[in-house]
Structures are given as C-alpha cells and as structure tokens.
C-alpha cells in the first residue's frame, strides 16, 4: 500500500538507512558507478546542521512512525499530543519546523497555528509549519494556509511525500534564513 501506515514506515526506514551517507552498504551486486551516483544524489539531502523538529500529533502510533522516519533523516525530533504544550515548547525553545495535526484533544491545531503566528508577528523567529490532518475540506485547507501554514497534507498520506515536503520546507527556510548564530538572547 502506498498509504501511510506502520507497515510502510518500516520499509521506508530501511530505504532511508540505505540512502544515508555512510549508512548501510549498498548490495554487493550494485555497479560501483550506480553506488557512486546514489551517494551523490543523497548527499544533497544532507543539511548544514541538524534540524530540530516538533511533531504535534495525538495518534500515538502515527506520531512514533513519523518520529522514526524523521530521525532516520538525521533530525532531532520532539513529540507532543497536546496543542497547548506545543505552544509553550515553541515559546521556550527554538524549532526549525513543526508538523501539526488539527484534530487535537483540547486546543486544536488551528488555534496552535494562530498562536504560533501571533508569537512570530511579535518578533519571534519564523517557524515553518506543515499541517497534517484528516480534514480535507477545501475550507479547512484554506483556513490552515490563511492562518499561516507553509504546507498542508491530508491523511492518509504517503510517508515518502511527507519527508520530501519536510526537506523542501527546510531547504526554503535555510535559504532564506542564512547562517544563524545564537548567543544568549541574541540571534544573528
Ligand atoms: Ca488527531
């Protein structure tokens, strides 16, 4: 199945481990030039520094599948099931990207997004947000994007597409953000 689910996650994780620079060796029957091309291809996936991601998702098995996938991409990943915890974590610590579910137990994802964007407008660092939700109505997508989401994916989704979108968002924010030096309260 091309849809997300834990069976696919495991296969994707294996694929990602094989593709990691310095990861598992290529199969012994691979032609050396193919292996070289694959290394070259995937070296482009690497980032200048390790990214810190926050997953806000109350489906525990989906959250752990996402965490494994994104850790296999080399990121540091925090997970919370509660919107209010996500808002407080983002106000206290620096994240490079948030993956945000909309249907959450108390504070929903739209409200989380509104608060994150309010904090950014008040001078906080820009924070890319990828909304990930089962709500596929056009008005929900429009609302999410208008509240400041950078991307919007509807469940069920294919894990390789999610990780590709995460890479695209991180590339974009890195290109616009430039080098970052953090010293105490100062970010240059
Ligand atoms: Ca949910």
């Amino acid at each position: 199945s091309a849809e997300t689910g834990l069976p696919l996650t495991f296969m994707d994780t294996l694929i990602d481990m094989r593709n990691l620079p310095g990861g598992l060796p290529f199969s012994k029957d691979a032609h050396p030039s193919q292996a070289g091309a694959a290394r070259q291809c995937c070296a482009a996936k690497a980032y200048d520094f390790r990214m810190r991601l926050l997953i806000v998702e109350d489906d525990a098995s989906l959250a752990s599948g996402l965490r494994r996938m994104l850790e296999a991409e080399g990121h540091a990943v925090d997970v919370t099931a509660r919107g209010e915890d996500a808002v407080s974590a983002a106000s206290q610590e620096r994240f490079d990207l948030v993956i945000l579910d909309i249907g959450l137990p108390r504070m929903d994802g739209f409200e989380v997004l509104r608060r994150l964007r309010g904090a950014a407008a008040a001078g906080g660092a820009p924070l890319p947000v990828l909304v990930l939700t089962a709500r596929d109505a056009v008005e929900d997508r429009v609302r999410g994007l208008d509240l400041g989401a950078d991307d919007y994916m509807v469940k069920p989704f294919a894990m390789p597409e999610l990780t590709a979108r995460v890479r695209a968002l991180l590339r974009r924010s890195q290109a616009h953000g430039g080098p970052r030096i953090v010293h105490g309260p100062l970010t240059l």
Side-chain angles (χ1 to χ4, degrees):
S1 164
E3 302 300 351
T4 294
L6 292 180
L8 187 64
T9 299
F10 179 65
M11 285 189 59
D12 286 339
T13 303
L14 285 181
I15 291 165
D16 270 52
M17 286 171 71
R18 192 190 59 206
N19 286 345
L20 282 175
L24 298 181
F26 291 93
S27 64
K28 63 182 188 314
D29 56 353
H31 189 275
S33 65
Q34 286 172 336
R39 263 197 301 275
Q40 198 174 23
C41 134
C42 297
K45 275 170 58 172
Y47 302 101
D48 295 343
F49 38 82
R50 197 173 186 224
M51 296 289 173
R52 183 140 186 242
L53 275 46
L54 176 62
I55 296 171
V56 192
E57 172 61 68
D58 64 326
D59 177 331
S61 62
L62 176 56
S64 78
L66 283 168
R67 181 209 281 266
R68 279 202 306 274
M69 284 295 302
L70 294 165
E71 284 178 346
E73 297 252 316
H75 304 304
V77 181
D78 289 336
V79 176
T80 178
R82 294 158 52 99
E84 49 277 32
D85 290 349
V87 172
S88 110
S91 73
Q92 290 162 20
E93 297 171 58
R94 162 98 197 198
F95 291 94
D96 297 294
L97 180 115
V98 177
I99 295 176
L100 178 62
D101 183 23
I102 294 297
L104 296 166
R106 286 168 61 196
M107 182 188 294
D108 76 7
F110 288 131
E111 180 60 19
V112 173
L113 190 51
R114 205 182 60 75
R115 294 191 186 204
L116 292 178
R117 289 305 176 239
L127 176 57
V129 175
L130 189 160
V131 167
L132 184 60
T133 175
R135 299 169 70 145
D136 64 347
V138 170
E139 55 266 36
D140 284 327
R141 299 188 207 204
V142 169
R143 185 176 175 202
L145 292 166
D146 280 349
L147 279 171
D150 298 278
D151 203 352
Y152 196 107
M153 279 192 81
V154 174
K155 300 171 187 169
F157 60 92
M159 199 63 95
E161 181 179 354
L162 178 111
T163 52
R165 285 175 184 257
V166 164
R167 288 194 296 273
L169 287 169
L170 291 173
R171 270 200 309 272
R172 221 175 293 156
S173 68
Q174 264 200 306
H176 293 166
R180 191 170 83 220
I181 300 168
V182 179
H183 182 77
L186 297 177
T187 299
L188 304 174

